[in-house]
Amino acid sequence: MSTAAAVLLIAFAVCLFSGVPIVFSLGLAAIAGLWAADFDLIVLAQRTISGTQVFTLLAIPGFVLAGDLMMHGGLSRRLVRLCQVLVQHVTGGLGMVTVLSATFFAAISGSAPATTAAIGGIMVPEMERHGWSRRFAAALSTAAGPIGQMIPPSIPMVIWGVVAEQSITKLFLAGIVPGILIAIGLMTVCWFAARAQGIPKATRRATARELLVALNDGKWALAAPLVILGGIYGGIFTPTEASAIGVAYAFVVGMFIYRELKVRDLPGILLQSMRTTTIVCSIIAVASAFGWLVAIEQLPTVIAEAILSVSSNPIVILMMINVLLLFIGAIMDNVAAMIILGGVLTSIGASLGLDPIHLGAIVVINFAIGMATPPFGYSLFVGAAISRLSVEEVSKALWPMLLVKILVLALITYVPGVVLALPRLLG
């Protein structure tokens, strides 16, 4: 390893573990690395700007704004009501409502923290009112939120598609089955938890009339993913164009059909979306400069060779990759991690003969799990905030849910057909 590479990594580690925000950690480390490599610091500005000059990244602000408009426009509340009618009679039904609602909302927002906030804000107090412990309710909302990273439209899938130069449409398809499997696993946890906590189930099934009323009230919310994803997979528009369609759809439904979105709400919603987009895009920009220096110093090749030298067994190597990504996802922003590790992971994937779409699903799902994992998972912070509990209290109730996610991760890692079945339909 060169001196510049060592300086880069040491500076980044020192900044990160000193509590310096990730975007500044990346920037300061890049400056230190460029200085050690005797590059002009103008390179930092050039690479930071060029890192954002990718058309596909325009999908990010679109999907963020669409999710915020749908959350404020009444779509999330109607999804919750529909899910409640469907499973209210099942043991653990109210917990399952949280999972199902998060899964539906994930197909709208594409964001883990947004899904946790939208669904958890409604369901945590509701579950507690019906006898569930607040810890479990908060942990469930935290665990269900990252389904938004898997079910399309997924913002991390867009970013990985740019980093690895892969089809975003195929990556979207690769996340559907893992997302559904995790949702089923979390609902199973709810069933066992309800029995353990002695939570009574509803005394009756919803009537046909109640179901029809809920379907009619929620039909516009249910149609949102059909419009967005149907247009992408039908070849009508690209993922970037789909994000704009999503914004228009959310605005029209919230403003003129449900009439819960008011003109006076728009400045606040736009400001919230701009904050989220600014955070994501700032990290992408600075991480691009950091990643360029990593590539110049040939760190991906060095790390890939080090991992491959441990064993020639693909099963062992894939397990090492998962452990590494789970650890990094728990302590670092996943956008920055994907950009920094993109070269390393694609090199290892090529050496193992992994399908690039399969590799992308493994990466994104690892980091989705990291969103709900102590100590620094974003969804974990959101879940703790909406429940007014400490991160430690929520974390203690998370472990059964994290175990379910890791089991699904192992399945999709070693059985590629689970994630590749749908992308292969596109040819």
Side-chain angles (χ1 to χ4, degrees), residues 273-348:
S273 299
M274 284 191 288
R275 284 174 176 161
T276 304
T277 300
T278 300
I279 291 169
V280 173
C281 291
S282 296
I283 293 171
I284 290 173
V286 180
S288 296
F290 185 99
W292 176 82
L293 190 54
V294 164
I296 287 294
E297 296 299 322
Q298 298 184 328
L299 274 177
T301 303
V302 172
I303 296 172
E305 288 176 351
I307 291 175
L308 293 171
S309 68
V310 173
S311 173
S312 59
N313 188 330
I315 294 175
V316 174
I317 294 171
L318 285 170
M319 183 177 67
M320 291 173 60
I321 291 172
N322 280 330
V323 170
L324 174 67
L325 294 182
L326 285 172
F327 173 74
I328 291 174
I331 64 170
M332 185 176 173
D333 181 86
N334 57 35
V335 174
M338 281 191 283
I339 295 174
I340 293 168
L341 296 175
V344 176
L345 296 171
T346 51
S347 296
I348 295 173

Side-chain angles (χ1 to χ4, degrees), residues 166-399:
Q166 295 299 315
S167 164
I168 293 172
T169 302
K170 288 186 177 182
L171 286 167
F172 277 177
L173 285 171
I176 293 175
V177 174
I180 292 173
L181 289 175
I182 286 176
I184 292 171
L186 292 178
M187 287 192 285
T188 303
V189 171
C190 292
W191 187 86
F192 282 106
R195 290 176 65 88
Q197 296 182 32
I199 307 296
K201 63 181 179 180
T203 55
R204 63 175 181 84
R205 292 174 180 265
T207 64
R209 177 178 173 77
E210 288 172 331
L211 179 57
L212 288 173
V213 169
L215 278 170
N216 183 60
D217 193 36
K219 63 180 182 290
W220 292 103
L222 286 174
L226 297 178
V227 170
I228 295 171
L229 303 178
I232 295 173
Y233 302 139
I236 300 172
F237 37 73
T238 66
T240 303
E241 293 163 344
S243 69
I245 297 294
V247 171
Y249 183 91
F251 177 79
V252 170
V253 171
M255 181 73 73
F256 301 110
I257 298 177
Y258 289 153
R259 298 184 180 180
E260 293 189 18
L261 190 63
K262 308 299 182 185
V263 173
R264 65 175 178 270
D265 298 330
L266 294 179
I269 294 170
L270 288 169
L271 181 60
Q272 178 180 325
S273 299
M274 284 191 288
R275 284 174 176 161
T276 304
T277 300
T278 300
I279 291 169
V280 173
C281 291
S282 296
I283 293 171
I284 290 173
V286 180
S288 296
F290 185 99
W292 176 82
L293 190 54
V294 164
I296 287 294
E297 296 299 322
Q298 298 184 328
L299 274 177
T301 303
V302 172
I303 296 172
E305 288 176 351
I307 291 175
L308 293 171
S309 68
V310 173
S311 173
S312 59
N313 188 330
I315 294 175
V316 174
I317 294 171
L318 285 170
M319 183 177 67
M320 291 173 60
I321 291 172
N322 280 330
V323 170
L324 174 67
L325 294 182
L326 285 172
F327 173 74
I328 291 174
I331 64 170
M332 185 176 173
D333 181 86
N334 57 35
V335 174
M338 281 191 283
I339 295 174
I340 293 168
L341 296 175
V344 176
L345 296 171
T346 51
S347 296
I348 295 173
S351 300
L352 296 177
L354 284 182
D355 185 291
I357 301 299
H358 179 211
L359 175 63
I362 291 172
V363 172
V364 170
I365 291 167
N366 265 293
F367 288 141
I369 296 172
M371 295 292 282
T373 304
F376 299 125
Y378 287 175
S379 288
L380 178 58
F381 291 146
V382 174
I386 61 177
S387 62
R388 297 187 297 279
L389 295 172
S390 68
V391 170
E392 291 77 11
E393 288 176 298
V394 178
S395 298
K396 289 177 182 177
L398 263 173
W399 294 111

Side-chain angles (χ1 to χ4, degrees), residues 77-91:
R77 182 171 54 79
R78 286 169 172 82
L79 287 174
V80 169
R81 175 57 189 153
L82 175 59
C83 294
Q84 191 166 2
V85 168
L86 290 172
V87 298
Q88 68 180 22
H89 59 284
V90 180
T91 299

